[in-house]
Amino acid sequence: MARILITGSTDGLGLMAARLLAHDGHGVTLHARNDTRADDARDALPEAEAVLVGDLTTIEGMRSVAAQADERDRYDAIIHNAAVGYREPSRIETADGLSHVFAVNVLAPYLLTALITPPARLVYLSSGMHRGGDPKLDDLQWSTRNWDGSRAYADSKLLDVVLAFAVARRWPDVLSNALEPGWVPTKMGGPGAPDDLSLGPVTQVWLATSQDPEATVTGGYFHHQEPRFAHPAARSPEVQDGLLDACAQLTGVPLPSHTT
């Protein structure tokens, strides 16, 4: 059975995926942003092997989570689930001077990918909204544009797909894929979301563990275990390298050129 880390897994789709994995006998490590949420996660899934604690709004917190992960030896899969939504009415700046949406949704999965010993599989959660994202990288922090929470979220989810495909290209021995879980009625999705909540965590679990030929691919984008069209810019090496360079400059940590 596999050992799997899921970021942002104290509730919502992250916790649902963890429950499915634990039910199937896999070893699950959860992640919470603080000690209070970690206690909640332990109560919600006592079968979890561990709960990592760290605030992914800060580079220091991202580094801490990565260090804790590596203390527990190599994972078979990491599901980058942690995210903030599209309802921020104004631009929130983190302690590092970054856009809150960008820091959590994009920089955190980048830095965790760069720092944690590479697993056999990486899974990045995106959204159907990514197709409306802007692939230009000249204002990642929304410091010059008028704030639009929905557009900032769409941009971030596009960049998650860019990151997944960039890793697939740079690390051919790692299965790196992205997916959209559907618009489901989680805390982020809202009570009026029309999609089936029970299907929301299935694809990430499948990509993290299944031996199906359809799941053992890399550089794919999925919805409900089926390939789905992704924004064409996500496959551009220029866009991929531009994002990796920008994240490396912000963190001081380049993505390693190989996985050994």
Side-chain angles (χ1 to χ4, degrees), residues 105-146:
N105 292 9
V106 183
L107 196 63
Y110 166 83
L111 191 54
L112 295 179
T113 299
L115 290 177
I116 297 173
T117 300
R121 305 189 191 200
L122 287 162
V123 181
Y124 299 86
L125 264 71
S126 181
S127 163
M129 289 178 67
H130 91 272
R131 295 182 189 86
D134 186 346
K136 294 194 292 290
L137 305 175
D138 55 350
D139 188 23
L140 292 173
Q141 307 310 321
W142 282 77
S143 55
T144 61
R145 289 177 286 177
N146 292 327

mmCIF file of all heavy atoms in Angstrom, residues 105-146:
data_model
loop_
_atom_site.group_PDB
_atom_site.id
_atom_site.type_symbol
_atom_site.label_atom_id
_atom_site.label_comp_id
_atom_site.label_asym_id
_atom_site.label_seq_id
_atom_site.Cartn_x
_atom_site.Cartn_y
_atom_site.Cartn_z
ATOM 1 N N ASN A 105 -2.022 29.087 -3.507
ATOM 2 C CA ASN A 105 -2.442 28.246 -4.620
ATOM 3 C C ASN A 105 -1.307 27.861 -5.571
ATOM 4 O O ASN A 105 -1.386 26.819 -6.226
ATOM 5 C CB ASN A 105 -3.545 28.937 -5.422
ATOM 6 C CG ASN A 105 -4.840 29.060 -4.660
ATOM 7 O OD1 ASN A 105 -4.900 28.781 -3.468
ATOM 8 N ND2 ASN A 105 -5.887 29.507 -5.330
ATOM 9 N N VAL A 106 -0.291 28.689 -5.663
ATOM 10 C CA VAL A 106 0.765 28.456 -6.654
ATOM 11 C C VAL A 106 2.142 28.279 -6.009
ATOM 12 O O VAL A 106 2.824 27.282 -6.239
ATOM 13 C CB VAL A 106 0.822 29.611 -7.685
ATOM 14 C CG1 VAL A 106 1.872 29.310 -8.759
ATOM 15 C CG2 VAL A 106 -0.532 29.848 -8.309
ATOM 16 N N LEU A 107 2.545 29.248 -5.194
ATOM 17 C CA LEU A 107 3.905 29.191 -4.655
ATOM 18 C C LEU A 107 4.071 28.026 -3.687
ATOM 19 O O LEU A 107 5.127 27.382 -3.676
ATOM 20 C CB LEU A 107 4.259 30.504 -3.965
ATOM 21 C CG LEU A 107 5.753 30.707 -3.712
ATOM 22 C CD1 LEU A 107 6.512 30.768 -5.032
ATOM 23 C CD2 LEU A 107 6.014 31.970 -2.893
ATOM 24 N N ALA A 108 3.068 27.738 -2.884
ATOM 25 C CA ALA A 108 3.181 26.622 -1.939
ATOM 26 C C ALA A 108 3.390 25.293 -2.659
ATOM 27 O O ALA A 108 4.323 24.555 -2.321
ATOM 28 C CB ALA A 108 1.967 26.567 -1.013
ATOM 29 N N PRO A 109 2.557 24.925 -3.641
ATOM 30 C CA PRO A 109 2.834 23.661 -4.325
ATOM 31 C C PRO A 109 4.171 23.664 -5.052
ATOM 32 O O PRO A 109 4.848 22.628 -5.123
ATOM 33 C CB PRO A 109 1.657 23.474 -5.284
ATOM 34 C CG PRO A 109 0.982 24.792 -5.358
ATOM 35 C CD PRO A 109 1.254 25.485 -4.068
ATOM 36 N N TYR A 110 4.585 24.820 -5.581
ATOM 37 C CA TYR A 110 5.908 24.883 -6.205
ATOM 38 C C TYR A 110 6.998 24.578 -5.197
ATOM 39 O O TYR A 110 7.865 23.722 -5.443
ATOM 40 C CB TYR A 110 6.163 26.266 -6.822
ATOM 41 C CG TYR A 110 7.629 26.440 -7.163
ATOM 42 C CD1 TYR A 110 8.138 25.944 -8.358
ATOM 43 C CD2 TYR A 110 8.508 27.038 -6.257
ATOM 44 C CE1 TYR A 110 9.497 26.044 -8.657
ATOM 45 C CE2 TYR A 110 9.868 27.136 -6.546
ATOM 46 C CZ TYR A 110 10.350 26.645 -7.742
ATOM 47 O OH TYR A 110 11.697 26.725 -8.019
ATOM 48 N N LEU A 111 7.011 25.288 -4.060
ATOM 49 C CA LEU A 111 8.108 25.133 -3.114
ATOM 50 C C LEU A 111 8.102 23.751 -2.470
ATOM 51 O O LEU A 111 9.169 23.146 -2.257
ATOM 52 C CB LEU A 111 8.034 26.231 -2.044
ATOM 53 C CG LEU A 111 9.261 26.353 -1.134
ATOM 54 C CD1 LEU A 111 10.540 26.503 -1.944
ATOM 55 C CD2 LEU A 111 9.098 27.519 -0.166
ATOM 56 N N LEU A 112 6.922 23.223 -2.165
ATOM 57 C CA LEU A 112 6.860 21.865 -1.635
ATOM 58 C C LEU A 112 7.394 20.860 -2.657
ATOM 59 O O LEU A 112 8.100 19.917 -2.311
ATOM 60 C CB LEU A 112 5.434 21.513 -1.229
ATOM 61 C CG LEU A 112 4.841 22.324 -0.074
ATOM 62 C CD1 LEU A 112 3.410 21.880 0.194
ATOM 63 C CD2 LEU A 112 5.674 22.193 1.184
ATOM 64 N N THR A 113 7.055 21.063 -3.928
ATOM 65 C CA THR A 113 7.570 20.182 -4.971
ATOM 66 C C THR A 113 9.092 20.271 -5.053
ATOM 67 O O THR A 113 9.788 19.252 -5.191
ATOM 68 C CB THR A 113 6.952 20.539 -6.334
ATOM 69 O OG1 THR A 113 5.525 20.372 -6.271
ATOM 70 C CG2 THR A 113 7.508 19.658 -7.450
ATOM 71 N N ALA A 114 9.610 21.474 -4.956
ATOM 72 C CA ALA A 114 11.053 21.674 -5.088
ATOM 73 C C ALA A 114 11.836 21.130 -3.899
ATOM 74 O O ALA A 114 12.975 20.691 -4.054
ATOM 75 C CB ALA A 114 11.351 23.162 -5.276
ATOM 76 N N LEU A 115 11.238 21.156 -2.698
ATOM 77 C CA LEU A 115 11.976 20.815 -1.482
ATOM 78 C C LEU A 115 11.775 19.378 -1.009
ATOM 79 O O LEU A 115 12.699 18.785 -0.438
ATOM 80 C CB LEU A 115 11.591 21.778 -0.351
ATOM 81 C CG LEU A 115 12.076 23.222 -0.483
ATOM 82 C CD1 LEU A 115 11.545 24.047 0.682
ATOM 83 C CD2 LEU A 115 13.590 23.299 -0.547
ATOM 84 N N ILE A 116 10.586 18.830 -1.170
ATOM 85 C CA ILE A 116 10.317 17.482 -0.668
ATOM 86 C C ILE A 116 10.929 16.453 -1.608
ATOM 87 O O ILE A 116 10.868 16.598 -2.836
ATOM 88 C CB ILE A 116 8.802 17.246 -0.534
ATOM 89 C CG1 ILE A 116 8.195 18.203 0.508
ATOM 90 C CG2 ILE A 116 8.505 15.806 -0.130
ATOM 91 C CD1 ILE A 116 6.677 18.144 0.586
ATOM 92 N N THR A 117 11.521 15.415 -1.042
ATOM 93 C CA THR A 117 12.038 14.324 -1.869
ATOM 94 C C THR A 117 10.959 13.884 -2.855
ATOM 95 O O THR A 117 9.835 13.552 -2.442
ATOM 96 C CB THR A 117 12.449 13.136 -0.987
ATOM 97 O OG1 THR A 117 13.470 13.561 -0.082
ATOM 98 C CG2 THR A 117 12.972 11.989 -1.838
ATOM 99 N N PRO A 118 11.240 13.910 -4.142
ATOM 100 C CA PRO A 118 10.188 13.632 -5.121
ATOM 101 C C PRO A 118 9.555 12.258 -4.919
ATOM 102 O O PRO A 118 10.265 11.248 -4.796
ATOM 103 C CB PRO A 118 10.918 13.712 -6.462
ATOM 104 C CG PRO A 118 12.065 14.625 -6.207
ATOM 105 C CD PRO A 118 12.491 14.323 -4.804
ATOM 106 N N PRO A 119 8.235 12.206 -4.889
ATOM 107 C CA PRO A 119 7.531 10.924 -4.827
ATOM 108 C C PRO A 119 7.422 10.318 -6.219
ATOM 109 O O PRO A 119 7.870 10.918 -7.208
ATOM 110 C CB PRO A 119 6.160 11.322 -4.288
ATOM 111 C CG PRO A 119 5.947 12.679 -4.883
ATOM 112 C CD PRO A 119 7.300 13.338 -4.919
ATOM 113 N N ALA A 120 6.813 9.165 -6.296
ATOM 114 C CA ALA A 120 6.570 8.556 -7.608
ATOM 115 C C ALA A 120 5.470 9.283 -8.366
ATOM 116 O O ALA A 120 5.468 9.292 -9.601
ATOM 117 C CB ALA A 120 6.201 7.083 -7.447
ATOM 118 N N ARG A 121 4.538 9.913 -7.608
ATOM 119 C CA ARG A 121 3.408 10.582 -8.252
ATOM 120 C C ARG A 121 3.133 11.923 -7.579
ATOM 121 O O ARG A 121 3.185 12.040 -6.352
ATOM 122 C CB ARG A 121 2.147 9.719 -8.183
ATOM 123 C CG ARG A 121 2.298 8.321 -8.751
ATOM 124 C CD ARG A 121 0.959 7.625 -8.836
ATOM 125 N NE ARG A 121 1.087 6.206 -9.129
ATOM 126 C CZ ARG A 121 0.119 5.446 -9.625
ATOM 127 N NH1 ARG A 121 -1.077 5.983 -9.861
ATOM 128 N NH2 ARG A 121 0.301 4.167 -9.857
ATOM 129 N N LEU A 122 2.817 12.897 -8.406
ATOM 130 C CA LEU A 122 2.400 14.219 -7.941
ATOM 131 C C LEU A 122 1.048 14.541 -8.567
ATOM 132 O O LEU A 122 0.843 14.338 -9.772
ATOM 133 C CB LEU A 122 3.426 15.279 -8.350
ATOM 134 C CG LEU A 122 4.739 15.270 -7.568
ATOM 135 C CD1 LEU A 122 5.813 16.031 -8.322
ATOM 136 C CD2 LEU A 122 4.530 15.860 -6.181
ATOM 137 N N VAL A 123 0.141 15.044 -7.735
ATOM 138 C CA VAL A 123 -1.218 15.363 -8.186
ATOM 139 C C VAL A 123 -1.532 16.791 -7.764
ATOM 140 O O VAL A 123 -1.433 17.135 -6.580
ATOM 141 C CB VAL A 123 -2.248 14.398 -7.576
ATOM 142 C CG1 VAL A 123 -3.649 14.734 -8.081
ATOM 143 C CG2 VAL A 123 -1.894 12.950 -7.891
ATOM 144 N N TYR A 124 -1.904 17.626 -8.727
ATOM 145 C CA TYR A 124 -2.186 19.041 -8.469
ATOM 146 C C TYR A 124 -3.658 19.321 -8.763
ATOM 147 O O TYR A 124 -4.131 19.048 -9.875
ATOM 148 C CB TYR A 124 -1.312 19.936 -9.348
ATOM 149 C CG TYR A 124 0.171 19.760 -9.118
ATOM 150 C CD1 TYR A 124 0.879 18.751 -9.795
ATOM 151 C CD2 TYR A 124 0.871 20.584 -8.252
ATOM 152 C CE1 TYR A 124 2.239 18.583 -9.600
ATOM 153 C CE2 TYR A 124 2.247 20.425 -8.054
ATOM 154 C CZ TYR A 124 2.908 19.417 -8.729
ATOM 155 O OH TYR A 124 4.266 19.240 -8.530
ATOM 156 N N LEU A 125 -4.361 19.897 -7.787
ATOM 157 C CA LEU A 125 -5.760 20.226 -7.993
ATOM 158 C C LEU A 125 -5.892 21.590 -8.665
ATOM 159 O O LEU A 125 -5.355 22.588 -8.189
ATOM 160 C CB LEU A 125 -6.539 20.226 -6.668
ATOM 161 C CG LEU A 125 -7.256 18.893 -6.393
ATOM 162 C CD1 LEU A 125 -6.244 17.816 -6.050
ATOM 163 C CD2 LEU A 125 -8.282 19.042 -5.293
ATOM 164 N N SER A 126 -6.621 21.592 -9.755
ATOM 165 C CA SER A 126 -6.900 22.818 -10.482
ATOM 166 C C SER A 126 -8.412 23.060 -10.440
ATOM 167 O O SER A 126 -9.088 22.683 -9.488
ATOM 168 C CB SER A 126 -6.372 22.726 -11.909
ATOM 169 O OG SER A 126 -6.612 23.921 -12.621
ATOM 170 N N SER A 127 -8.939 23.661 -11.454
ATOM 171 C CA SER A 127 -10.362 23.998 -11.543
ATOM 172 C C SER A 127 -10.707 24.228 -12.999
ATOM 173 O O SER A 127 -9.848 24.659 -13.790
ATOM 174 C CB SER A 127 -10.648 25.272 -10.732
ATOM 175 O OG SER A 127 -11.899 25.844 -11.091
ATOM 176 N N GLY A 128 -11.961 23.972 -13.341
ATOM 177 C CA GLY A 128 -12.413 24.313 -14.681
ATOM 178 C C GLY A 128 -12.267 25.792 -14.979
ATOM 179 O O GLY A 128 -12.171 26.193 -16.148
ATOM 180 N N MET A 129 -12.209 26.613 -13.917
ATOM 181 C CA MET A 129 -12.024 28.049 -14.108
ATOM 182 C C MET A 129 -10.648 28.380 -14.670
ATOM 183 O O MET A 129 -10.423 29.501 -15.135
ATOM 184 C CB MET A 129 -12.245 28.784 -12.788
ATOM 185 C CG MET A 129 -13.699 28.807 -12.328
ATOM 186 S SD MET A 129 -13.927 29.640 -10.727
ATOM 187 C CE MET A 129 -13.499 31.333 -11.152
ATOM 188 N N HIS A 130 -9.730 27.426 -14.658
ATOM 189 C CA HIS A 130 -8.380 27.734 -15.152
ATOM 190 C C HIS A 130 -8.400 28.112 -16.624
ATOM 191 O O HIS A 130 -7.506 28.834 -17.087
ATOM 192 C CB HIS A 130 -7.448 26.537 -14.915
ATOM 193 C CG HIS A 130 -7.380 25.565 -16.056
ATOM 194 N ND1 HIS A 130 -8.259 24.507 -16.190
ATOM 195 C CD2 HIS A 130 -6.537 25.496 -17.127
ATOM 196 C CE1 HIS A 130 -7.960 23.831 -17.288
ATOM 197 N NE2 HIS A 130 -6.927 24.389 -17.868
ATOM 198 N N ARG A 131 -9.415 27.646 -17.360
ATOM 199 C CA ARG A 131 -9.462 27.949 -18.789
ATOM 200 C C ARG A 131 -9.699 29.438 -19.038
ATOM 201 O O ARG A 131 -9.439 29.930 -20.138
ATOM 202 C CB ARG A 131 -10.547 27.115 -19.469
ATOM 203 C CG ARG A 131 -10.256 25.622 -19.433
ATOM 204 C CD ARG A 131 -11.302 24.793 -20.146
ATOM 205 N NE ARG A 131 -11.091 23.379 -19.890
ATOM 206 C CZ ARG A 131 -11.558 22.724 -18.835
ATOM 207 N NH1 ARG A 131 -12.309 23.355 -17.942
ATOM 208 N NH2 ARG A 131 -11.294 21.447 -18.663
ATOM 209 N N GLY A 132 -10.176 30.148 -18.023
ATOM 210 C CA GLY A 132 -10.325 31.597 -18.136
ATOM 211 C C GLY A 132 -9.156 32.359 -17.560
ATOM 212 O O GLY A 132 -9.193 33.594 -17.479
ATOM 213 N N GLY A 133 -8.101 31.646 -17.172
ATOM 214 C CA GLY A 133 -6.937 32.291 -16.595
ATOM 215 C C GLY A 133 -6.071 32.973 -17.637
ATOM 216 O O GLY A 133 -6.109 32.662 -18.825
ATOM 217 N N ASP A 134 -5.267 33.921 -17.162
ATOM 218 C CA ASP A 134 -4.360 34.691 -18.019
ATOM 219 C C ASP A 134 -2.960 34.097 -17.888
ATOM 220 O O ASP A 134 -2.389 34.094 -16.795
ATOM 221 C CB ASP A 134 -4.363 36.155 -17.566
ATOM 222 C CG ASP A 134 -3.557 37.054 -18.496
ATOM 223 O OD1 ASP A 134 -2.788 36.538 -19.327
ATOM 224 O OD2 ASP A 134 -3.692 38.293 -18.383
ATOM 225 N N PRO A 135 -2.375 33.604 -18.982
ATOM 226 C CA PRO A 135 -1.051 32.981 -18.882
ATOM 227 C C PRO A 135 0.104 33.962 -18.815
ATOM 228 O O PRO A 135 1.253 33.556 -18.630
ATOM 229 C CB PRO A 135 -0.975 32.130 -20.149
ATOM 230 C CG PRO A 135 -1.823 32.874 -21.137
ATOM 231 C CD PRO A 135 -2.950 33.461 -20.332
ATOM 232 N N LYS A 136 -0.172 35.263 -18.959
ATOM 233 C CA LYS A 136 0.911 36.235 -18.862
ATOM 234 C C LYS A 136 1.435 36.258 -17.421
ATOM 235 O O LYS A 136 0.666 36.190 -16.465
ATOM 236 C CB LYS A 136 0.436 37.621 -19.285
ATOM 237 C CG LYS A 136 0.069 37.711 -20.763
ATOM 238 C CD LYS A 136 -0.067 39.137 -21.222
ATOM 239 C CE LYS A 136 -1.258 39.847 -20.599
ATOM 240 N NZ LYS A 136 -2.539 39.332 -21.100
ATOM 241 N N LEU A 137 2.751 36.379 -17.285
ATOM 242 C CA LEU A 137 3.403 36.267 -15.983
ATOM 243 C C LEU A 137 3.952 37.600 -15.485
ATOM 244 O O LEU A 137 4.747 37.621 -14.552
ATOM 245 C CB LEU A 137 4.549 35.245 -16.073
ATOM 246 C CG LEU A 137 4.172 33.860 -16.597
ATOM 247 C CD1 LEU A 137 5.427 32.999 -16.754
ATOM 248 C CD2 LEU A 137 3.168 33.187 -15.676
ATOM 249 N N ASP A 138 3.501 38.710 -16.076
ATOM 250 C CA ASP A 138 4.098 39.999 -15.744
ATOM 251 C C ASP A 138 3.515 40.646 -14.493
ATOM 252 O O ASP A 138 4.060 41.636 -13.998
ATOM 253 C CB ASP A 138 3.972 40.965 -16.932
ATOM 254 C CG ASP A 138 2.534 41.135 -17.405
ATOM 255 O OD1 ASP A 138 1.652 40.370 -16.946
ATOM 256 O OD2 ASP A 138 2.284 42.027 -18.235
ATOM 257 N N ASP A 139 2.421 40.106 -13.949
ATOM 258 C CA ASP A 139 1.835 40.682 -12.730
ATOM 259 C C ASP A 139 1.250 39.565 -11.871
ATOM 260 O O ASP A 139 0.068 39.553 -11.536
ATOM 261 C CB ASP A 139 0.760 41.719 -13.092
ATOM 262 C CG ASP A 139 0.256 42.493 -11.877
ATOM 263 O OD1 ASP A 139 0.986 42.569 -10.858
ATOM 264 O OD2 ASP A 139 -0.880 43.008 -11.940
ATOM 265 N N LEU A 140 2.103 38.628 -11.501
ATOM 266 C CA LEU A 140 1.644 37.476 -10.719
ATOM 267 C C LEU A 140 1.051 37.878 -9.376
ATOM 268 O O LEU A 140 0.191 37.172 -8.834
ATOM 269 C CB LEU A 140 2.810 36.512 -10.490
ATOM 270 C CG LEU A 140 3.342 35.779 -11.726
ATOM 271 C CD1 LEU A 140 4.609 35.006 -11.370
ATOM 272 C CD2 LEU A 140 2.281 34.847 -12.299
ATOM 273 N N GLN A 141 1.501 38.994 -8.818
ATOM 274 C CA GLN A 141 1.044 39.416 -7.485
ATOM 275 C C GLN A 141 -0.126 40.399 -7.531
ATOM 276 O O GLN A 141 -0.527 40.923 -6.489
ATOM 277 C CB GLN A 141 2.217 40.032 -6.707
ATOM 278 C CG GLN A 141 3.442 39.166 -6.634
ATOM 279 C CD GLN A 141 3.128 37.756 -6.174
ATOM 280 O OE1 GLN A 141 2.297 37.551 -5.290
ATOM 281 N NE2 GLN A 141 3.794 36.772 -6.768
ATOM 282 N N TRP A 142 -0.645 40.657 -8.715
ATOM 283 C CA TRP A 142 -1.752 41.601 -8.842
ATOM 284 C C TRP A 142 -1.407 42.937 -8.181
ATOM 285 O O TRP A 142 -2.231 43.550 -7.484
ATOM 286 C CB TRP A 142 -3.040 41.020 -8.243
ATOM 287 C CG TRP A 142 -3.695 40.030 -9.147
ATOM 288 C CD1 TRP A 142 -3.310 38.737 -9.350
ATOM 289 C CD2 TRP A 142 -4.818 40.244 -10.007
ATOM 290 N NE1 TRP A 142 -4.127 38.130 -10.277
ATOM 291 C CE2 TRP A 142 -5.066 39.020 -10.691
ATOM 292 C CE3 TRP A 142 -5.650 41.326 -10.244
ATOM 293 C CZ2 TRP A 142 -6.104 38.881 -11.604
ATOM 294 C CZ3 TRP A 142 -6.688 41.185 -11.151
ATOM 295 C CH2 TRP A 142 -6.906 39.973 -11.832
ATOM 296 N N SER A 143 -0.193 43.390 -8.399
ATOM 297 C CA SER A 143 0.239 44.654 -7.804
ATOM 298 C C SER A 143 -0.070 45.852 -8.689
ATOM 299 O O SER A 143 -0.095 46.985 -8.214
ATOM 300 C CB SER A 143 1.741 44.608 -7.495
ATOM 301 O OG SER A 143 2.486 44.280 -8.656
ATOM 302 N N THR A 144 -0.320 45.619 -9.986
ATOM 303 C CA THR A 144 -0.635 46.715 -10.896
ATOM 304 C C THR A 144 -2.064 46.634 -11.419
ATOM 305 O O THR A 144 -2.648 47.665 -11.751
ATOM 306 C CB THR A 144 0.340 46.729 -12.091
ATOM 307 O OG1 THR A 144 0.231 45.503 -12.828
ATOM 308 C CG2 THR A 144 1.781 46.891 -11.603
ATOM 309 N N ARG A 145 -2.638 45.461 -11.481
ATOM 310 C CA ARG A 145 -4.016 45.320 -11.954
ATOM 311 C C ARG A 145 -5.017 45.631 -10.850
ATOM 312 O O ARG A 145 -4.715 45.472 -9.661
ATOM 313 C CB ARG A 145 -4.269 43.883 -12.438
ATOM 314 C CG ARG A 145 -3.586 43.506 -13.710
ATOM 315 C CD ARG A 145 -3.831 42.055 -14.079
ATOM 316 N NE ARG A 145 -3.065 41.123 -13.245
ATOM 317 C CZ ARG A 145 -3.150 39.795 -13.329
ATOM 318 N NH1 ARG A 145 -4.010 39.237 -14.181
ATOM 319 N NH2 ARG A 145 -2.401 39.027 -12.565
ATOM 320 N N ASN A 146 -6.193 46.088 -11.249
ATOM 321 C CA ASN A 146 -7.282 46.226 -10.282
ATOM 322 C C ASN A 146 -7.720 44.832 -9.852
ATOM 323 O O ASN A 146 -7.937 43.951 -10.681
ATOM 324 C CB ASN A 146 -8.463 46.983 -10.902
ATOM 325 C CG ASN A 146 -8.149 48.438 -11.193
ATOM 326 O OD1 ASN A 146 -7.386 49.074 -10.459
ATOM 327 N ND2 ASN A 146 -8.718 48.955 -12.265
#
